[in-house]
Amino acid sequence: MGGRAASVRSSSRSWEQWAAHYERRGLRVVTPGYPGFEVEVEALNANPGIVAALTVPAIVDRLASVIAGLDRPPIIIGHSHGGVFTQMLLDSGLGAAGVTLNSAPAGGVRVAPRSQIRSTPPVLRSPANRHRPVALTFDEWWRTFANTFGAEEARALYDRCHVPASGRILWSGVLAGFQPGGQETAVDYRNDDRAPLLFVSGGADLVMPPAVQRANVRHYTSRTVTEHVEYPGYAHLLPAQKGWEEIADHVLDWALWQSGVRPEPAPAGGWPGSGRSIRSAPRR
């Protein structure tokens, strides 16, 4: 297990707890940032033009180049729009297994739950925001991303981790299935050579609610493993919510099992981890 890498996307600060947790389990953890995100959160807030310049191809190319430099295929974990990038990386043949946490929909998934539309008004209220970085006030961020958190905890996370969102990427993610023509977040849902993929939903997520994950899972018709698990009571900021360690262990054990590195001792029954229900993707 020690040689297996868990490749986690986004700024390193947002994944620091997960990285330390996995390193204690003997894994090498890589937390590559988006292009330009090598600087600290404070610098991104001071110069949001870096965020405005982000594109999906540039992000995926950056992550793919990091993975290509590893000595073996990693477990890839992505949150929110990072869940889409995880799907795209797996579809391109990278990774030993993939896990998405409250993933945005990949290309062609036509789903827009009411809570999702209500939670993103600062971005969607103007088409001009597609080309701008869009910052959320603390109250907007707390109400949408951390709606199950207490005020003090939410404030601390906002001050430490919040950066303006890329309007371009949020528009393409929320409206992934409603835009005409080829989509830059497209994946091949029939790809039988793709590594195993697990979708994780927070039951209280308003931004990418479980309906989004279920719709994404239904699109996969390949014979490879595609599964979904829901954790009731978890918000969009699931990786930082109290109890995240249980989820982190669950998804890691699932990924190690699926990639051929089985945790010891083997479970008496079912998949390792929390014991919550995991259901395979329906077949069309």
Side-chain angles (χ1 to χ4, degrees):
M1 182 174 71
R4 179 71 66 186
S7 177
V8 189
R9 72 98 201 153
S10 191
S11 66
S12 57
R13 183 179 292 186
S14 63
W15 288 102
E16 57 193 0
Q17 294 187 98
W18 282 56
H21 186 72
Y22 284 161
E23 286 168 349
R24 287 192 291 270
R25 289 193 56 173
L27 280 84
R28 176 191 175 198
V29 181
V30 181
T31 57
Y34 294 158
F37 276 49
E38 296 82 8
V39 299
E40 292 291 348
V41 166
E42 292 79 9
L44 289 170
N45 281 299
N47 181 20
I50 297 173
V51 178
L54 282 174
T55 66
V56 169
I59 292 171
V60 175
D61 286 348
R62 158 72 174 159
L63 298 178
S65 69
V66 172
I67 292 171
L70 300 176
D71 60 0
R72 65 182 65 188
I75 294 163
I76 305 174
I77 302 176
H79 172 249
S80 194
H81 287 83
V84 176
F85 307 145
T86 297
Q87 294 178 66
M88 296 172 69
L89 292 166
L90 263 61
D91 186 45
S92 67
L94 298 171
V99 177
T100 77
L101 309 174
N102 291 335
S103 179
V109 179
R110 297 175 62 91
V111 57
R114 183 175 300 178
S115 67
Q116 184 187 59
I117 298 301
R118 287 177 174 174
S119 69
T120 52
V123 180
L124 299 180
R125 68 166 57 108
S126 170
N129 285 337
R130 296 184 68 169
H131 308 289
R132 298 172 181 165
V134 182
L136 300 181
T137 67
F138 168 67
D139 285 340
E140 289 170 335
W141 185 86
W142 182 19
R143 187 170 61 247
T144 56
F145 287 82
N147 50 296
T148 60
F149 289 63
E152 184 175 346
E153 183 183 14
R155 184 79 220 192
L157 287 166
Y158 178 84
D159 290 343
R160 180 154 182 77
C161 299
H162 173 262
V163 296
S166 165
R168 183 202 313 260
I169 292 174
L170 280 174
W171 269 74
S172 65
V174 173
L175 302 177
F178 300 91
Q179 302 178 74
Q183 298 177 31
E184 58 187 8
T185 58
V187 299
D188 179 2
Y189 295 109
R190 298 180 176 85
N191 182 1
D192 290 333
D193 296 323
R194 192 213 69 214
L197 173 61
L198 174 64
F199 285 84
V200 176
S201 296
D205 186 358
L206 300 178
V207 181
M208 300 295 173
V212 173
Q213 324 302 317
R214 290 193 292 267
N216 213 151
V217 170
R218 284 196 298 270
H219 271 67
Y220 280 99
T221 57
S222 60
R223 290 190 296 272
T224 191
V225 174
T226 308
E227 298 182 337
H228 174 236
V229 60
E230 180 178 333
Y231 283 84
Y234 278 81
H236 188 67
L237 204 62
L238 175 150
Q241 187 168 334
K242 184 178 180 180
W244 64 265
E245 296 93 341
E246 177 189 5
I247 299 176
D249 286 337
H250 170 209
V251 302
L252 176 61
D253 287 344
W254 180 93
L256 290 173
W257 188 285
Q258 293 292 348
S259 60
V261 184
R262 287 169 169 77
E264 297 294 342
W271 294 114
S274 69
R276 297 179 187 271
S277 173
I278 301 179
R279 290 175 292 178
S280 298
R283 302 299 183 217
R284 289 181 177 175

